């Protein structure tokens, strides 16, 4: 229920959505939570059961009631005549009221002919974690607020961008003869990221033009998709980047975090000067007369260059990569920088992009 409660909004358009839906059938208890756009369901095997039925339970009451209990058997008695619930535990008993399950909204099943993707749960969880930080919060372009799944005959690309930074994960072992796409909203993506098992197991995603159904080991999530056309993300990725920096990720991240507090709060501009085997990071805030400068050793192939990046965005990118080394590919100070892991995992192609900032030389 703690996991399911992440679906429920603090304020709901329908009062019944403040409740969990309990459905007892064939010795199993199914618990459902919904905010009308996202529906999540899990099933628990019951030790004992003397009938079938359904009812709605206020989420805060039952969560607070059982959260503080130690691991122990619970006996739940529901009386349909007056919609009362009695929970008996080792040293006590709770009494509270339920509501009719008839008012609980029904989920619309996916249409026939939906596209199906099967993906390992740990792989999907890692990809969602890598993408979420790069999604936008843009009321004018809602398509940018979600994670874009682009299924092609070559691969499945999982993409997020806010216009200043971009993440593209390619899974080369997942493909489909018929191209298909969908945009997963941020809320269900965040829920999935936190609950998907790291131990593996398949996740099955069925989607059509409006909805997606995601089945995983511990349950089921149905969500409404973001409708609209996602921008052509491949067109903003520079293809010819002759300047190439190979550097220890943690060393660069540490230097960046030390230099960033001395940058202007409004711009967070960090200047990078790369020459020979040295990368120099510098920042300054003219209004407060502060500045910082630090050098990090690196391998560099290319011409000497100065380029500016937003420090907080670059820090997020480096924090969401896991490799020991990163490769930074640059064309010139006016074009986006590409950041990729020093070593790619099998069947994956991870790429992150950051737009440059103007330097006032």
């Amino acid at each position: 229920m703690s996991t399911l409660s992440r679906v429920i909004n603090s304020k709901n358009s329908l009062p019944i959505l403040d409740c969990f839906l309990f459905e007892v059938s064939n010795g199993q208890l199914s618990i459902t939570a919904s905010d009308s756009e996202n529906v999540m369901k899990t099933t628990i095997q019951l030790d004992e059961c003397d009938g079938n039925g359904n009812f709605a339970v206020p989420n805060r009451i039952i969560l607070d009631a059982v959260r503080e209990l130690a691991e122990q058997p619970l006996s739940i008695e529901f009386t349909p005549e007056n919609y009362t619930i009695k929970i008996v535990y080792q040293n006590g008993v709770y009494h509270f009221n339920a509501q009719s399950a008839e008012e609980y909204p029904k989920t619309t099943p996916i249409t026939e002919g939906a596209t199906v993707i099967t993906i390992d749960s740990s792989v999907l969880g890692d990809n969602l974690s890598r993408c979420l930080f790069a999604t936008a919060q843009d009321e004018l372009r809602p398509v940018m607020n979600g994670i874009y799944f682009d299924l092609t005959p070559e691969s499945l690309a999982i993409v997020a961008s806010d216009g200043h930074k971009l993440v593209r994960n390619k899974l080369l072992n997942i493909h489909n003869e018929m191209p298909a796409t969908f945009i997963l909203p941020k809320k269900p993506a965040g829920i999935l990221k936190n609950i998907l098992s790291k131990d593996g197991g398949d996740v099955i995603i069925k989607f059509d033009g409006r909805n997606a159904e995601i089945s995983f080991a511990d349950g089921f999530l149905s969500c409404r998709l973001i409708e609209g056309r996602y921008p052509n993300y491949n067109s903003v990725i520079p293809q010819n980047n002759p300047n190439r920096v190979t550097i220890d990720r943690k060393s660069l991240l540490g230097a960046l975090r030390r230099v960033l507090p001395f940058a202007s709060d409004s711009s967070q501009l960090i200047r990078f000067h790369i020459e020979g085997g040295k990368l120099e990071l510098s920042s300054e805030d003219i209004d407060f007369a502060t500045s910082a400068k630090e050098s990090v050793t690196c391998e560099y192939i290319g011409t000497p260059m100065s380029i500016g990046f937003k420090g907080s965005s670059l820090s997020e990118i480096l924090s969401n990569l896991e490799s020991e080394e990163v490769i930074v590919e640059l064309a010139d100070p006016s074009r986006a920088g590409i950041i990729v892991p020093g070593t790619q995992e099998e069947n994956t192609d991870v790429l992150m992009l950051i737009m440059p900032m103007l330097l006032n030389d």
Side-chain angles (χ1 to χ4, degrees):
M1 288 193 298
S2 294
T3 301
L4 291 171
S5 66
R6 296 172 183 170
V7 175
I8 300 173
N9 290 333
S10 55
K11 293 182 179 178
N12 288 294
S13 53
L14 298 172
I16 194 70
L17 294 178
D18 287 331
C19 297
F20 293 118
L21 175 64
F22 278 46
E23 298 172 285
V24 180
S25 178
N26 300 322
Q28 291 185 323
L29 169 64
S30 295
I31 308 176
T32 303
S34 173
D35 64 0
S36 77
E37 292 191 351
N38 305 287
V39 180
M40 191 169 166
K41 185 175 183 177
T42 192
T43 302
I44 302 166
Q45 192 68 39
L46 297 173
D47 296 331
E48 289 180 38
C49 174
D50 62 3
N52 298 332
N54 53 33
F55 50 93
V57 185
N59 83 85
R60 290 185 186 88
I61 291 176
I62 194 162
L63 264 179
D64 290 343
V66 301
R67 185 181 277 137
E68 298 302 322
L69 294 177
E71 191 75 23
Q72 60 180 280
L74 289 181
S75 171
I76 303 174
E77 298 177 20
F78 169 62
T79 308
E81 288 76 23
N82 56 3
Y83 279 89
T84 58
I85 292 176
K86 176 183 175 184
I87 297 182
V88 180
Y89 59 98
Q90 192 170 354
N91 297 313
V93 60
Y94 297 130
H95 291 273
F96 53 93
N97 292 325
Q99 295 184 39
S100 170
E102 297 299 316
E103 300 173 28
Y104 210 86
K106 303 289 189 290
T107 55
T108 307
I110 291 280
T111 56
E112 286 187 23
T115 305
V116 180
I117 299 172
T118 303
I119 182 171
D120 183 272
S121 66
S122 60
V123 172
L124 179 58
D126 289 345
N127 278 269
L128 292 175
S129 296
R130 245 191 319 267
C131 282
L132 272 165
F133 83 94
T135 54
Q137 292 181 324
D138 189 341
E139 293 180 6
L140 299 177
R141 290 194 298 172
V143 293
M144 306 292 283
N145 300 343
I147 295 177
Y148 183 56
F149 285 68
D150 185 11
L151 185 62
T152 68
E154 292 79 37
S155 65
L156 169 65
I158 303 176
V159 182
S161 177
D162 62 1
H164 303 287
K165 53 186 179 288
L166 177 144
V167 178
R168 186 197 69 190
N169 305 283
K170 274 189 179 179
L171 300 176
L172 305 175
N173 57 340
I174 299 175
H175 40 79
N176 197 42
E177 288 184 13
M178 287 293 294
T181 65
F182 70 92
I183 305 171
L184 183 68
K186 201 178 300 187
K187 181 175 178 178
I191 292 170
L192 285 169
K193 180 200 83 165
N194 290 319
I195 64 174
L196 286 177
S197 169
K198 298 293 182 187
D199 302 329
D202 284 344
V203 176
I204 299 169
I205 305 172
K206 292 171 65 177
F207 64 95
D208 57 18
R210 297 195 63 188
N211 300 293
E213 290 179 355
I214 303 165
S215 303
F216 46 96
D218 299 323
F220 168 90
L221 175 66
S222 169
C223 62
R224 190 173 301 163
L225 301 172
I226 298 174
E227 296 183 47
R229 187 180 180 87
Y230 203 82
N232 181 1
Y233 60 90
N234 284 314
S235 66
V236 301
I237 301 173
Q239 299 303 314
N240 183 24
N241 306 291
N243 304 297
R244 182 183 174 103
V245 183
T246 304
I247 191 166
D248 181 80
R249 181 181 67 86
K250 288 183 179 177
S251 298
L252 177 57
L253 183 58
L256 186 59
R257 286 173 173 167
R258 288 187 287 273
V259 170
L260 184 56
F262 296 87
S264 164
D265 281 344
S266 57
S267 70
Q268 298 186 339
L269 170 65
I270 304 292
R271 173 195 285 266
F272 283 62
H273 181 74
I274 317 151
E275 191 169 354
K278 186 174 74 171
L279 166 62
E280 185 181 88
L281 295 81
S282 59
S283 63
E284 66 175 342
D285 187 341
I286 296 171
D287 295 336
F288 292 94
T290 62
S291 65
K293 186 181 289 187
E294 185 170 332
S295 296
V296 185
T297 57
C298 66
E299 293 177 27
Y300 183 54
I301 301 168
T303 56
M305 183 191 299
S306 291
I307 187 170
F309 292 119
K310 185 174 182 177
S312 58
S313 295
L314 185 57
S315 177
E316 284 182 312
I317 286 175
L318 294 171
S319 299
N320 281 279
L321 290 168
E322 295 177 351
S323 60
E324 289 190 9
E325 288 188 326
V326 292
I327 298 167
V328 185
E329 300 176 1
L330 303 167
D332 60 62
S334 64
R335 297 177 69 191
I338 303 283
I339 301 170
V340 296
T343 53
Q344 299 276 10
E345 293 184 12
E346 187 180 3
N347 290 319
T348 63
D349 178 10
V350 176
L351 176 148
M352 301 198 182
L353 174 149
I354 182 169
M355 299 302 291
M357 296 180 71
L358 188 65
L359 290 174
N360 296 317
D361 288 322

